[in-house]
Amino acid sequence: MTSYRPPEGRPTSPHLPFGDRRDAPWYGQSIISVRQFQPADLDYVFGVAHEMREMVGRVGTFDLLKGKLLANLFYEPSTRTASSFMAAMQRLGGTVIPINEVRYSSVSKGESLPDTIRTLECYADCIVLRHPQMGAAAEAAAVARKPIINAGDGVGEHPTQALLDLFTIAIELGRYSPRTGLDLSGLTITLLGDLKYGRTVHSLSRLLAPMDVRLNFVSPPTLRMPEHLMTELATGTARTTELDALDPVLADSDVLYVTRVQKERFEDVALYESLKHAFVIDRQTLTRARDTMIVMHPFPRVGEIAYDVDPDPRAAYFRQMENGMYVRMALLAMVLGKA
Ligand code: ASP
């Protein structure tokens, strides 16, 4: 594994097309890592996402990004991230170049990532990139004149997912309002499953690290959080505990964030098979949890949450997906200088 560390601060694009608000705080910037977001930025993102939700409820589609074009460049499979970015752009009146099957593009002829990025930015105003290699989004941002949004870089980060996850926690538990801002203090958040390869939990725990929360990391011993990440989290205020069983922390959890064992990151299929159902959440599990606890999952689920959990009001994962669109609308409006 490379020793890539996400960049501090915000990479800024020098590109300033006519008609955009140059004073918008995220204008022209790439979103590569959650490390770019300070607590005050979260209030800002959530404020815009909240407005987006209201607007979609009221009018469905509106023209904030009319005339803007997004390139959706996916080198790995995606359902929610790709389609919610497309929906977000279209709800805002913009259009999308979808490149979901890189094998039908010049990538299959051996084109390099920098060349593909520099090509797409000739046509689009912003590029959403998912790539199997950690650090790929930062590499793309280094050559790009237009904003790059990291939609998952291997086992590295998935910043937009973490933002929508945090938005969901805050909304579901009544910890955010545009008037009072965000306050998660005192919450216990339990992250469960493949913490080694799961990029969503890497980004989410980084985002939670500077807050007054308790983070329980529950996984099979071989799928623990990477050591470098635990060291990094230790510099924050969040109290962290690593466990290999859920029961000791279930009853005290406000959030149970479940992840899939990341099959595509395993070289040893037998090892994957032995771990894939190490934890299964079902209706029975929830009898031992708080009535107010929420269950989240970035999806796809492949057996970690039984279908009998779905009717339980604590199952928040479909609401979480919907929030993804509002948060991605907010991020697109921000980097394109309209929020
Ligand atoms: N969809 C999420 C991701 O791209 C979670 C997963 O695939 O398990 O990281």
Side-chain angles (χ1 to χ4, degrees):
M1 197 175 291
T2 75
S3 59
Y4 165 76
R5 284 173 66 83
E8 306 281 354
R10 308 169 183 171
T12 301
S13 160
H15 171 79
L16 293 171
F18 175 74
D20 287 344
R21 278 191 45 196
R22 291 155 196 245
D23 59 337
W26 286 83
Y27 177 71
Q29 293 177 18
S30 289
I31 296 174
I32 306 302
S33 163
V34 289
R35 288 168 166 219
Q36 296 168 249
F37 292 84
Q38 305 309 317
D41 296 316
L42 298 176
D43 278 332
Y44 186 82
V45 177
F46 293 174
V48 181
H50 197 267
E51 268 179 50
M52 295 299 182
R53 190 164 74 160
E54 303 266 294
M55 284 297 283
V56 170
R58 225 177 300 143
V59 296
T61 299
F62 48 106
D63 277 350
L64 193 67
L65 294 184
K66 189 165 186 230
K68 296 287 182 190
L69 234 135
L70 170 71
N72 235 13
L73 178 60
F74 281 70
Y75 289 74
E76 276 190 340
S78 170
T79 300
R80 279 147 293 274
T81 307
S83 57
S84 67
F85 265 115
M86 285 180 74
M89 196 62 188
Q90 287 169 8
R91 292 255 179 211
L92 292 168
T95 46
V96 185
I97 306 173
I99 306 181
N100 300 328
E101 285 281 6
V102 285
R103 74 193 139 103
Y104 296 126
S105 75
S106 285
V107 169
S108 66
K109 300 182 192 166
E111 184 165 270
S112 69
L113 177 64
D115 279 355
T116 306
I117 293 293
R118 296 195 64 181
T119 302
L120 289 175
E121 69 178 1
C122 294
Y123 315 130
D125 301 292
C126 176
I127 299 171
V128 169
L129 172 68
R130 170 168 289 183
H131 197 279
Q133 236 159 37
M134 182 159 66
E139 190 194 329
V143 299
R145 290 176 304 119
K146 309 270 179 77
I148 302 292
I149 300 182
N150 182 3
D153 61 332
V155 299
E157 281 223 32
H158 197 344
T160 67
Q161 176 76 42
L163 290 166
L164 77 90
D165 291 341
L166 200 67
F167 184 67
T168 301
I169 294 172
I171 295 284
E172 290 276 328
L173 300 180
R175 297 303 195 101
Y176 172 79
S177 86
R179 201 174 45 79
T180 56
L182 175 73
D183 181 9
L184 299 186
S185 18
L187 291 184
T188 295
I189 296 155
T190 297
L191 302 127
L192 173 84
D194 184 349
L195 307 182
K196 178 178 179 184
Y197 298 124
R199 56 193 172 202
T200 71
V201 282
H202 298 167
S203 289
L204 182 57
S205 53
R206 273 196 177 114
L207 212 47
L208 289 163
M211 301 185 190
D212 171 26
V213 293
R214 172 167 287 289
L215 299 178
N216 297 315
F217 297 116
V218 182
S219 69
T222 47
L223 296 180
R224 287 167 63 164
M225 285 287 266
E227 224 172 279
H228 70 90
L229 196 50
M230 289 307 290
T231 310
E232 185 185 324
L233 298 179
T235 62
T237 46
R239 297 166 301 286
T240 61
T241 313
E242 293 187 272
L243 305 100
D244 57 15
L246 175 61
D247 262 349
V249 291
L250 177 61
D252 288 331
S253 298
D254 298 295
V255 176
L256 178 61
Y257 188 101
V258 185
T259 63
R260 148 184 93 90
V261 177
Q262 307 277 298
K263 184 178 184 182
E264 64 274 35
R265 313 287 177 216
F266 281 76
E267 274 163 23
D268 181 349
V269 182
L271 180 63
Y272 164 74
E273 289 295 330
S274 70
L275 292 169
K276 68 177 184 190
H277 291 148
F279 295 98
V280 175
I281 305 303
D282 57 17
R283 214 165 55 165
Q284 190 57 34
T285 319
L286 292 194
T287 60
R288 303 192 295 281
R290 288 181 180 162
D291 288 345
T292 51
M293 188 190 80
I294 55 166
V295 184
M296 297 174 63
H297 193 305
F299 268 54
R301 66 173 151 184
V302 284
E304 323 71 51
I305 301 182
Y307 291 106
D308 68 9
V309 173
D310 296 1
D312 191 303
R314 289 172 288 184
Y317 27 89
F318 293 111
R319 300 190 291 274
Q320 180 184 355
M321 285 171 205
E322 183 180 333
N323 289 335
M325 185 177 74
Y326 305 130
V327 169
R328 287 172 174 139
M329 287 173 80
L331 296 172
L332 288 171
M334 285 162 56
V335 302
L336 291 171
K338 302 292 182 188

